[in-house]
Amino acid sequence: MTNISHIVIVGGGSAGWLSAGIIAAKLKQSVASGFTVTLIESNTIASVGVGEGTWPTMRSTLKNMGISETEFIKQCDVSFKQGAKFARWRTGKQDDYYYHPLVLPQGFEQLDLVPHWQASDSPLSFSEMVCPQESLCEQGLAPKLITTPEYRAVANYAYHMDAGKFATFLQQHCVENLDVHHIVDDVVGVNKTDSGDISSLATAKHGQIKGDLFIDCTGFKALLIGEHLNVPFVSCNETLFVDQALAIQVPYQQENSAIASHTISTAQSAGWIWDIGLPTRRGVGHVYSSRHVGEDHAYQQLMQYLSGQVDKPESLDVKKIPIEAGHRAQFWKNNCVAIGLSAGFLEPLEASALLLIEISAQMVVDQLPTNRQVMDIVAKRYNETFTYRWARIIDFLKLHYCLSERTDNPFWIEHRDPSTMSERLQEQLMLWKHQFPSDADFESALEIFPAASYQYVLYGMGFRTHQNPLGRSQQSIDRAQMAFKKNIAETQQMSNVLQSNRDLLEKIYKYGLQTI
Ligand SMILES: Cc1cc2nc3c(=O)[nH]c(=O)nc-3n(C[C@H](O)[C@H](O)[C@H](O)COP(=O)(O)OP(=O)(O)OC[C@H]3O[C@@H](n4cnc5c(N)ncnc54)[C@H](O)[C@@H]3O)c2cc1C
């Protein structure tokens, strides 16, 4: 019986180094010995080099790897992210926007504020009325103070960062502190046993690299899972239509320009533009459906977006990235697991790709099969878990589109066609017309987007649920009033003490955050 002790990762993008760090950190903390983690990366095949928005989970991921938050902030051009602002998604008009913040509505566990917000006819948006984060973002405020220790928050937060610097930073930490064996070479062949397992990888300069478990982090190439294990790619381009990205790095006009505390996603005629503010530059890109808009027009829309914000936007280098929404039919086959873009791709509307990498690597190491005999059982469970998770992310991304009232391009109209949605999403939308979305709709422990996320998007997009008098008692009305008041007080309190994103980052460069 072969024990599983040698793990070989191919690929040195965010997926490879995050997986290496998550797995090696856990193995290092364990009392068991004899494990090795090897990462092979090519220095001739480029990484995709984008992927700059994260989830709050990245804080615990980095902390568990033993990384100093201050060092991460200093070395990876990091800024704080407190959610996403979706502009022009509903009507397409100039003043049309809503937020998906990173905090739960006030008292969410005990009380559902949606019926009370809806009954109030307040001019405030749902997110403004139930949490402070929309206001903090609109004011450009950071989510913590210089006295708040590393990884702790005043308001929940994630990060924006430079993807290239992040991979280099993780590489250094993994090699120097977590004993990851790093090989810079091209994998040129895959050797398999009669059962179809990978026995070793042939490299151009380092000979054969043997392993017990192989992790494919080779990006869109999917060298092991796709090319060698022939696991099919399941496209979902009939649900999510965007298939091209144009990415640009945009300099600030002034060194001390404000840094947005949130990702800005602005809908276009057949896609959307992301805008991520880092301390030294912005990362901006247009993801669009080439079936609905030509490349020239998509480029012009990007230039139009940047005009007035930057001199000569047409002089900036544009990186064109073809994309296809979908994922592998299996993520773990034989003794090979695909993590990152090799496992699949969904448009970065909710920055779910890095999250998927974090939770995939975590599950691999948490459930690491002790020997080959039990590996297929773990693989089956892993595949069920991630098939469910990918399907739920697809539904949640689709939700942003199918509620739109835009008619300016068939792109939006086709998105509302029920035949482009999963049956589950259609059913939920029907149900939510008559009852408010709640945790009861998201019972699985594997849920990635909770009911609160659905509430922010649904009601941000103008969805209405028929009032059900059964849902509101006098007691719940009183408690909701208290929650709304509490929110006003907390928003005021936080607004008084928090500094701007840039001011806090500058203090961190100077003094560092207190370690815990
Ligand atoms: C337009 C766009 C925007 C995105 N925005 C976000 C976002 O905001 N948030 C988010 O979470 N995600 C985002 N993503 C996804 C994110 O970029 C990826 O999930 C992340 O970068 C991981 O990529 P990767 O490591 O899988 O692949 P890559 O970065 O492409 O790395 C592949 C690695 O494999 C190596 N390799 C390939 N072949 C071989 C070989 N034969 N031998 C040795 N090594 C090899 C390459 O050298 C490279 O190191 C975005 C993606 C795109 C396309």
Side-chain angles (χ1 to χ4, degrees):
M1 207 178 332
T2 318
N3 285 338
I4 308 302
S5 50
H6 299 300
I7 300 169
V8 178
I9 299 169
V10 189
S14 306
W17 286 113
L18 264 173
S19 300
I22 290 165
I23 293 169
K26 169 116 189 218
L27 294 178
K28 199 169 177 186
Q29 284 153 17
S30 142
V31 288
S33 59
F35 288 98
T36 60
V37 178
T38 302
L39 186 145
I40 312 170
E41 73 173 310
S42 164
N43 62 0
T44 54
I45 305 167
S47 290
V48 71
V50 282
E52 306 193 320
T54 68
W55 274 34
T57 48
M58 189 58 83
R59 283 164 38 213
S60 50
T61 294
L62 298 180
K63 185 165 172 268
N64 292 342
M65 278 189 221
I67 285 174
S68 143
E69 188 179 33
T70 302
E71 279 313 303
F72 165 63
I73 289 172
K74 282 182 177 171
Q75 293 192 34
C76 300
D77 207 11
V78 172
S79 62
F80 297 108
K81 164 183 169 180
Q82 296 187 65
K85 177 176 183 172
F86 293 95
R88 302 187 170 195
W89 281 78
R90 182 181 170 191
T91 60
K93 292 193 180 137
Q94 190 77 36
D95 62 350
D96 162 26
Y97 74 84
Y98 72 95
Y99 271 85
H100 179 190
L102 299 182
V103 292
L104 294 173
Q106 296 279 352
F108 183 73
E109 310 285 310
Q110 298 85 37
L111 175 68
D112 185 2
L113 287 176
V114 181
H116 303 284
W117 164 75
Q118 210 180 257
S120 76
D121 278 332
S122 166
L124 295 185
S125 70
F126 173 64
S127 78
E128 256 178 314
M129 190 119 161
V130 302
C131 81
Q133 215 147 25
E134 173 167 341
S135 168
L136 301 183
C137 290
E138 286 289 296
Q139 297 175 75
L141 297 177
K144 65 194 287 177
L145 302 163
I146 188 68
T147 48
T148 317
E150 288 200 332
Y151 297 118
R152 300 240 174 96
V154 172
N156 196 19
Y157 68 90
Y159 308 105
H160 289 141
M161 78 218 168
D162 181 305
K165 288 183 180 164
F166 185 50
T168 308
F169 175 75
L170 288 177
Q171 174 195 315
Q172 193 180 354
H173 181 76
C174 287
V175 173
E176 288 176 8
N177 304 315
L178 299 176
D179 307 328
V180 174
H181 183 44
H182 183 202
I183 297 175
V184 179
D185 205 343
D186 283 14
V187 171
V188 290
V190 174
N191 302 308
K192 289 193 268 183
T193 64
D194 292 344
S195 67
D197 277 11
I198 298 174
S199 52
S200 65
L201 302 174
T203 60
K205 291 180 278 194
H206 290 76
Q208 307 289 326
I209 310 290
K210 287 188 179 168
D212 305 315
L213 177 67
F214 292 83
I215 305 192
D216 184 346
C217 295
T218 59
F220 287 127
K221 201 171 172 54
L223 180 73
L224 309 183
I225 201 85
E227 281 186 27
H228 285 276
L229 294 178
N230 299 317
V231 175
F233 181 81
V234 183
S235 172
C236 65
N237 63 6
E238 298 198 343
T239 301
L240 297 170
F241 310 150
V242 302
D243 61 357
Q244 291 290 337
L246 300 174
I248 302 192
Q249 298 193 350
V250 180
Y252 285 112
Q253 291 297 85
Q254 277 145 5
E255 224 177 277
N256 60 350
S257 297
I259 307 168
S261 256
H262 51 280
T263 306
I264 305 164
S265 303
T266 307
Q268 304 294 310
S269 64
W272 56 279
I273 288 176
W274 80 80
D275 190 341
I276 284 180
L278 305 184
T280 64
R281 63 164 173 85
R282 283 155 63 201
V284 180
H286 188 182
V287 273
Y288 63 93
S289 159
S290 64
R291 202 157 52 81
H292 298 91
V293 67
E295 187 181 328
D296 286 352
H297 191 199
Y299 175 77
Q300 284 314 323
Q301 287 177 313
L302 187 55
M303 293 300 108
Q304 173 72 28
Y305 178 85
L306 291 171
S307 71
Q309 302 178 21
V310 58
D311 285 340
K312 302 203 181 89
E314 58 290 340
S315 65
L316 300 170
D317 287 341
V318 180
K319 187 171 180 177
K320 189 176 161 191
I321 310 168
I323 49 187
E324 184 178 1
H327 57 80
R328 296 284 146 193
Q330 279 169 281
F331 306 99
W332 189 327
K333 185 173 180 206
N334 291 84
N335 61 342
C336 174
V337 193
I339 297 183
L341 296 172
S342 60
F345 174 80
L346 296 173
E347 59 188 271
L349 194 54
E350 287 284 356
S352 47
L354 292 170
L355 167 85
L356 274 169
I357 294 168
E358 295 170 68
I359 58 178
S360 301
Q362 197 62 57
M363 184 162 174
V364 168
V365 72
D366 286 349
Q367 308 221 351
L368 192 67
T370 48
N371 57 59
R372 181 63 189 91
Q373 207 182 6
V374 294
M375 189 184 284
D376 292 343
I377 302 169
V378 175
K380 182 168 174 271
R381 191 183 295 174
Y382 182 95
N383 285 328
E384 284 165 3
T385 298
F386 282 93
T387 303
Y388 180 86
R389 285 180 162 157
W390 280 79
R392 295 290 71 77
I393 298 174
I394 294 166
D395 275 357
F396 189 62
L397 298 184
K398 183 71 175 178
L399 184 75
H400 295 64
Y401 289 102
C402 67
L403 300 171
S404 178
E405 294 157 24
R406 289 181 68 137
T407 52
D408 51 316
N409 187 302
F411 175 81
W412 295 100
I413 297 160
E414 287 168 29
H415 262 304
R416 298 198 279 275
D417 180 345
S419 70
T420 69
M421 300 172 207
S422 73
E423 254 178 57
R424 182 185 159 116
L425 182 60
Q426 290 179 56
E427 257 178 37
Q428 282 175 322
L429 287 171
M430 172 60 83
L431 185 67
W432 294 333
K433 281 191 180 150
H434 302 278
Q435 62 191 58
F436 298 99
S438 72
D439 282 341
D441 302 319
F442 303 94
E443 277 175 334
S444 167
L446 304 175
E447 235 41 88
I448 284 186
F449 293 101
S453 290
Y454 277 80
Q455 291 184 347
Y456 284 127
V457 175
L458 281 164
Y459 300 105
M461 286 293 283
F463 189 84
R464 281 290 173 272
T465 301
H466 298 302
Q467 282 290 2
N468 178 351
L470 271 180
R472 295 172 71 233
S473 62
Q474 190 52 50
Q475 195 197 19
S476 73
I477 293 172
D478 296 343
R479 285 171 57 209
Q481 286 313 318
M482 276 165 58
F484 293 140
K485 278 192 191 141
K486 185 170 174 224
N487 186 50
I488 294 171
E490 270 184 15
T491 307
Q492 191 57 54
Q493 221 175 359
M494 289 185 188
S495 305
N496 289 344
V497 295
L498 292 169
Q499 294 182 288
S500 76
N501 222 348
R502 185 174 291 285
D503 286 349
L504 177 62
L505 289 165
E506 273 167 14
K507 274 199 181 156
I508 295 174
Y509 301 149
K510 214 164 161 188
Y511 307 112
L513 289 164
Q514 188 190 322
T515 52
I516 42 172

